[in-house]
Amino acid sequence: MTVQGFIIHLQRAERRGEHARSLIDNLPVPTEILDAVDGEAMSEPEIADVFRRSLHRPWYPFALRKSEIACFLSHRKAWQEIVDRNLSAGLIVEDDVEPGEGFDALFRLAASSIQPNDYIRFPRWERGENGDVVAAENGLSIIEPRLPGLGMQMQLVGVEAARALLAATRRFDRPVDTTIQMGWLHTARILSARPIAIREIDFDLGGSVVQNKKKTLAARLYREVMRPWYRFTLYMINRLQG
């Protein structure tokens, strides 16, 4: 089995660079830094070529920032590397992640059980994910959530899962993590590793590079109403799709 690690790192985020380089020695597979797409450097025609509002149902109710579009493209870049190199799987890691105690054992379980069409998340929290166990060993498990959680901190992506995700996202209309939740769109099997064995340290590294500008009261209220509606709708569609 050939597995390569990819750390997605935005070059101008200099405070994260040292941590990204240290991760190379702290991950259980050969790993390299993959240059992230810089949203600030993208032109409007470049954005229009990949991003289109309201492509899929349920409609995504929020506008995307340039940084979210660039984040999606950075993950597509990693998926493309998996396919182009004909890897068994790729371990995709964002540059503000730190493996915790027990990660190596959990990774071994994931690597030994992954199928080509599997996408195994290493989430930063368990919140909201419930599902059947598909692999287990010594108190560790891989589950198939009824609705996968959000976040793109770390994933082990099989080559056929990468291929399916690329085919389904030549154009996209929402952030990459909620696109992953749409199993009927891309057909990859989305799994999740347990227990939690990573942590996000973005505040230690200068905060998020996905800018979150201050919102008006009306905008905040809109998000508070629409976020649970959207999540419930996704959950029901996933259930109907089996």
Side-chain angles (χ1 to χ4, degrees):
M1 182 177 184
T2 307
V3 181
Q4 173 71 37
F6 301 99
I7 300 168
I8 295 176
H9 171 61
L10 184 63
Q11 284 191 347
R12 63 179 169 84
E14 295 179 1
R15 290 187 61 181
R16 292 168 175 248
E18 183 177 350
H19 177 68
R21 289 185 289 273
S22 72
L23 269 176
I24 292 174
D25 296 325
N26 291 330
L27 292 173
V29 294
T31 300
E32 63 191 64
I33 291 176
L34 185 70
D35 288 340
V37 175
D38 189 344
E40 295 303 313
M42 294 185 69
S43 67
E44 292 303 321
E46 286 174 325
I47 291 172
D49 190 49
V50 297
F51 173 69
R52 196 82 49 90
R53 290 293 300 268
S54 304
L55 278 176
H56 306 294
R57 293 187 178 182
W59 311 132
Y60 187 69
F62 311 119
L64 257 62
R65 300 182 293 274
K66 279 187 174 182
S67 53
E68 291 176 304
I69 294 169
C71 177
F72 203 129
L73 293 174
S74 298
H75 281 274
R76 276 184 51 87
K77 190 175 178 180
W79 301 336
Q80 190 68 61
E81 290 290 333
I82 295 169
V83 172
D84 289 349
R85 301 190 195 190
N86 197 28
L87 301 172
S88 302
L91 181 64
I92 304 172
V93 186
E94 295 192 335
D95 64 359
D96 58 354
V97 168
E98 186 172 78
E101 183 179 355
F103 172 75
D104 284 357
L106 189 59
F107 173 81
R108 286 194 296 271
L109 175 63
S112 66
S113 58
I114 192 170
Q115 300 298 311
N117 197 46
D118 288 349
Y119 175 112
I120 303 179
R121 303 177 65 246
F122 295 87
R124 59 178 173 167
W125 55 55
E126 295 184 8
R127 189 170 67 205
E129 285 194 331
N130 298 287
D132 296 333
V133 174
V134 299
E137 182 179 274
N138 299 327
L140 311 175
S141 63
I142 307 295
I143 68 170
E144 185 171 7
R146 297 180 184 89
L147 180 65
L150 297 176
M152 299 292 293
Q153 287 75 31
M154 183 185 292
Q155 313 89 45
L156 183 64
V157 183
V159 64
E160 292 305 325
R163 202 184 310 276
L165 288 165
L166 285 168
T169 61
R170 292 187 178 96
R171 286 193 174 94
F172 51 86
D173 64 353
R174 65 199 71 199
V176 60
D177 54 355
T178 190
T179 301
I180 295 298
Q181 293 178 313
M182 300 166 67
W184 66 91
L185 176 67
H186 53 71
T187 71
R189 184 171 72 153
I190 309 302
L191 306 175
S192 192
R194 290 292 184 275
I196 303 305
I198 67 166
R199 68 187 188 102
E200 192 175 32
I201 58 171
D202 58 328
F203 287 109
D204 297 337
L205 300 171
S208 173
V209 295
V210 181
Q211 299 298 322
N212 191 13
K213 296 179 180 179
K214 291 183 179 180
K215 299 180 178 66
T216 65
L217 176 60
R220 291 199 300 270
L221 289 174
Y222 177 76
R223 291 190 75 88
E224 289 302 311
V225 171
M226 297 305 294
R227 185 185 293 114
W229 169 85
Y230 177 73
R231 185 172 177 83
F232 175 75
T233 305
L234 272 182
Y235 177 81
M236 293 306 297
I237 293 175
N238 269 303
R239 290 291 299 271
L240 290 171
Q241 295 290 332

